[in-house]
Amino acid sequence: MHAERSASPGLPHPGMLVSLRWEDASLVAATLLAIGIPFVAFANLVLFHFYVRGSFVLDSGLLASLMWHSDAALTQPASLGGASYLGTHLSLLFLPLSALSWWLPWSMPQFFAGVVGLSHALLALAVFWLLVQGFDLRRGMGPWIAAVAALGFAFSGLAIAIARYPHYETLIAAFFLLFAVAEVLGYRRLAVVFFVLGLATREDAGFHYVAVLGLSIMLNLARGIPPRQQQREWIFALSALSYAIVAMAVQRLLFPQTSAFVRVYLGDPPLAHLTAAVIAQRALSFLVSCPHVLYPALGACLWALRARNLAIVLGFAAALPWLLLHLLAKAPLAGMLASYYAFPFLIALAWPRLGVMRQQQLTASAGNRKTVIAPFAALLCLSFVPGIGIHDPGRLPLPRAFWDRPSSAQQVATDRAVIALVAARPMLGGLSVDNSIAALAPKAFAQSDVPFLQGNANVPRDATTSPDTVVYLAEGYDAQRLRPMADAAGLTRRYVLSATQIHLATRYRLEDVLSLAPLVTAEEPR
């Protein structure tokens, strides 16, 4: 008879330890993939945008310069007027970001790429965290299912459409979702941190937050849930509204001559730009060029009808005033709800799972929370329905830009070359540079150096007819316009800066320019 080996009653069985260690390792690996892949991919996209395809001063170069080694006033480049960016947007989050940039060995484009990558990683983190802890997907294949859902959200058609014009407003949505997840899961102090970070991202973030929280409160009241059970929702909603009102009032008081709302939305005189034809064109544009918003919204409506649960579509309902505002906007880009203007719909796209879970908490119902995973996946799929005329100013080749980042050597060489160009500026005569060159050092070039800074309109005649030196990125934003200018001006000396995609056409021998001589290689005459 074999004696049985008994384990100490206070210790788990060795097999259980192995199982727990495997589950922990699986959870950690899934977490790292869920947040690491979006961070790397979208950071690569921004680096490709700056160093390969070519960026532009408005807005990528401007935003990167404000986040990197900026001053407390967030002073804009002289080429854009030199005023404080706080008059445009009260983005207080830029101040700690700028302070952090002094401690990191990253160039300006690299730091901006890190911020954009982080914003998409935070989107993924919110979804992953909710599914793993709130929907109990922490065992077996659960973390990997959660990771796939998180990646699907971070790489949704909506998220990609926003990333084509790199901006920072994705952080508003990401921080709100993290706040909502932390609040639902009971991490109350952490929820406050995410809430404050979201409000600090832009002065109007509070309006977006109160729209969702306010509708949620009203829906719960209609279902018989008393106000005392929603005390924290009331506190956060009123705090968000109060902050937005105070922030915009202070902004107006400090910067009375600057109003992004008037410039982009209201117009001067107010709404004078509106005609029936404009409104009809805007509505048609939304239908054909915003499928990443339209079809998930329709899908959410069908899901809400089938489930008989308005919480599913609440996020989209909260974003309707934002949609209407853009239908009436003065600025054409805003009127299209293009790119980053669609950021509130990221909250809407993720809200069904949060809304259902919070509702079950308040009503003490025991529904199967996992039933929302498949419909959520369907909404993500609907965000990829193709459209016509989707805004893509950076001409980014996707998905290639997600992995085909410029080498570190190319980045360093390009940064060094731009510094050398700035040092050689007095010896280059009348200078015309590509938007893509100016975006790499927005504070180093004058407005007159960037003829297409504001697009094709209002280009100074002397900048296009008599330059002495023209500089552009091979695939730069203005390269196709600057090459003919160089030919027409008779700039026969052509150079390329070694290990970069920077090309120069000039009247001068750059071999005689001290800062450029070690970097330039003469091109064969054409």
Side-chain angles (χ1 to χ4, degrees):
M1 184 174 182
H2 297 284
E4 290 187 10
R5 290 179 294 179
S6 61
S8 171
L11 296 174
H13 190 277
M16 185 182 298
L17 284 176
V18 172
S19 176
L20 287 174
R21 288 170 182 165
W22 168 250
E23 286 183 358
D24 290 344
S26 179
L27 178 59
V28 170
T31 304
L32 292 176
L33 286 176
I35 63 178
I37 291 176
F39 177 83
V40 172
F42 284 95
N44 284 348
L45 179 146
V46 174
L47 292 174
F48 189 96
H49 176 55
F50 272 92
Y51 290 106
V52 179
R53 184 49 56 91
S55 180
F56 19 76
V57 177
L58 294 171
D59 292 333
S60 304
L62 166 64
L63 296 177
S65 72
L66 294 171
M67 294 181 188
W68 186 81
H69 295 187
S70 190
D71 56 23
L74 298 182
T75 304
Q76 300 181 76
S79 60
L80 298 176
S84 171
Y85 183 73
L86 297 174
T88 302
H89 287 302
L90 202 64
S91 298
L92 300 180
L93 185 65
F94 284 15
L95 298 176
L97 285 175
S98 179
L100 177 63
S101 72
W102 290 96
W103 293 89
L104 296 175
W106 294 350
S107 68
M108 184 194 76
Q110 289 169 347
F111 188 80
F112 183 57
V115 172
V116 174
L118 176 65
S119 68
H120 287 267
L122 293 178
L123 290 177
L125 175 61
V127 171
F128 184 82
W129 186 14
L130 179 67
L131 292 179
V132 167
Q133 189 163 346
F135 288 70
D136 198 25
L137 293 181
R138 62 171 62 248
R139 297 179 179 83
M141 292 298 296
W144 299 100
I145 294 172
V148 170
L151 289 171
F153 181 55
F155 287 93
S156 66
L158 174 57
I160 290 174
I162 291 172
R164 286 183 180 277
Y165 190 27
H167 248 254
Y168 65 95
E169 283 79 4
T170 301
L171 286 170
I172 299 176
F175 284 134
F176 180 80
L177 292 175
L178 286 168
F179 148 73
V181 171
E183 185 69 13
V184 164
L185 297 180
Y187 298 92
R188 295 190 166 190
R189 292 181 180 177
L190 197 54
V192 172
V193 171
F194 289 131
F195 183 76
V196 170
L197 287 173
L199 294 182
T201 304
R202 215 171 75 170
E203 74 284 351
D204 62 330
F207 290 128
H208 299 287
Y209 290 8
V210 75
V212 178
L213 293 171
L215 279 183
S216 178
I217 290 170
M218 288 189 287
L219 179 60
N220 290 331
L221 288 173
R223 294 190 171 186
I225 299 171
R228 65 178 178 273
Q229 283 187 249
Q230 303 184 75
Q231 185 177 9
R232 285 182 65 84
E233 282 91 340
W234 279 101
I235 291 173
F236 282 118
L238 292 175
S239 298
L241 180 61
S242 300
Y243 176 79
I245 292 173
V246 171
M248 294 188 76
V250 169
Q251 185 185 41
R252 190 65 177 161
L253 179 66
L254 296 178
F255 306 98
Q257 304 303 320
T258 304
S259 175
F261 184 78
V262 171
R263 174 174 53 84
V264 177
Y265 296 105
L266 192 60
D268 187 17
L271 304 181
H273 58 281
L274 286 181
T275 65
V278 167
I279 294 175
Q281 188 274 333
R282 296 274 177 82
L284 178 61
S285 175
F286 173 76
L287 293 176
V288 300
S289 65
C290 292
H292 43 275
V293 172
L294 176 62
Y295 291 104
L298 294 176
C301 290
L302 293 175
W303 180 7
L305 288 172
R306 182 179 177 83
R308 297 183 180 180
N309 189 345
L310 290 177
I312 291 169
V313 78
L314 184 146
F316 287 100
L320 283 178
W322 184 249
L323 176 61
L324 178 61
L325 176 65
H326 285 73
L327 185 68
L328 306 177
K330 171 72 167 63
L333 192 61
M336 296 169 55
L337 198 71
S339 302
Y340 67 92
Y341 287 107
F343 75 88
F345 290 95
L346 287 168
I347 297 174
L349 187 58
W351 187 256
R353 293 152 304 132
L354 280 160
V356 169
M357 184 172 176
R358 181 57 178 157
Q359 210 168 66
Q360 290 176 354
Q361 287 179 337
L362 291 171
T363 59
S365 60
N368 184 0
R369 296 172 182 170
K370 296 180 182 178
T371 58
V372 307
I373 296 177
F376 173 64
L379 294 189
L380 296 181
C381 291
L382 287 171
S383 72
F384 287 101
V385 173
I388 301 173
I390 295 177
H391 190 237
D392 185 22
R395 304 155 296 130
L396 292 167
L398 296 178
R400 173 190 162 198
F402 284 134
W403 63 73
D404 192 13
R405 67 188 291 272
S407 68
S408 298
Q410 181 180 340
Q411 294 177 50
V412 170
T414 301
D415 293 335
R416 186 187 300 121
V418 172
I419 292 172
L421 280 170
V422 173
R425 175 66 185 87
M427 290 161 280
L428 298 178
L431 180 65
S432 292
V433 303
D434 179 10
N435 245 291
S436 302
I437 299 296
L440 291 166
K443 296 180 180 179
F445 295 98
Q447 186 174 28
S448 58
D449 294 335
V450 195
F452 299 103
L453 180 65
Q454 303 286 350
N456 288 321
N458 302 319
V459 178
R461 180 174 177 80
D462 59 345
T464 59
T465 57
S466 58
D468 298 305
T469 303
V470 170
V471 188
Y472 56 90
L473 216 61
E475 300 182 39
Y477 195 63
D478 303 320
Q480 292 185 354
R481 290 175 282 195
L482 288 174
R483 288 191 189 98
M485 282 173 47
D487 293 338
L491 306 183
T492 56
R493 296 182 183 275
R494 304 296 172 103
Y495 298 89
V496 62
L497 294 180
S498 301
T500 76
Q501 298 199 36
I502 298 176
H503 293 255
L504 297 93
T506 183
R507 304 185 194 282
Y508 310 112
R509 270 180 49 86
L510 298 187
E511 293 89 345
D512 299 331
V513 178
L514 184 62
S515 64
L516 291 176
L519 305 178
V520 297
T521 301
E523 291 188 288
E524 294 293 328
R526 297 192 303 171

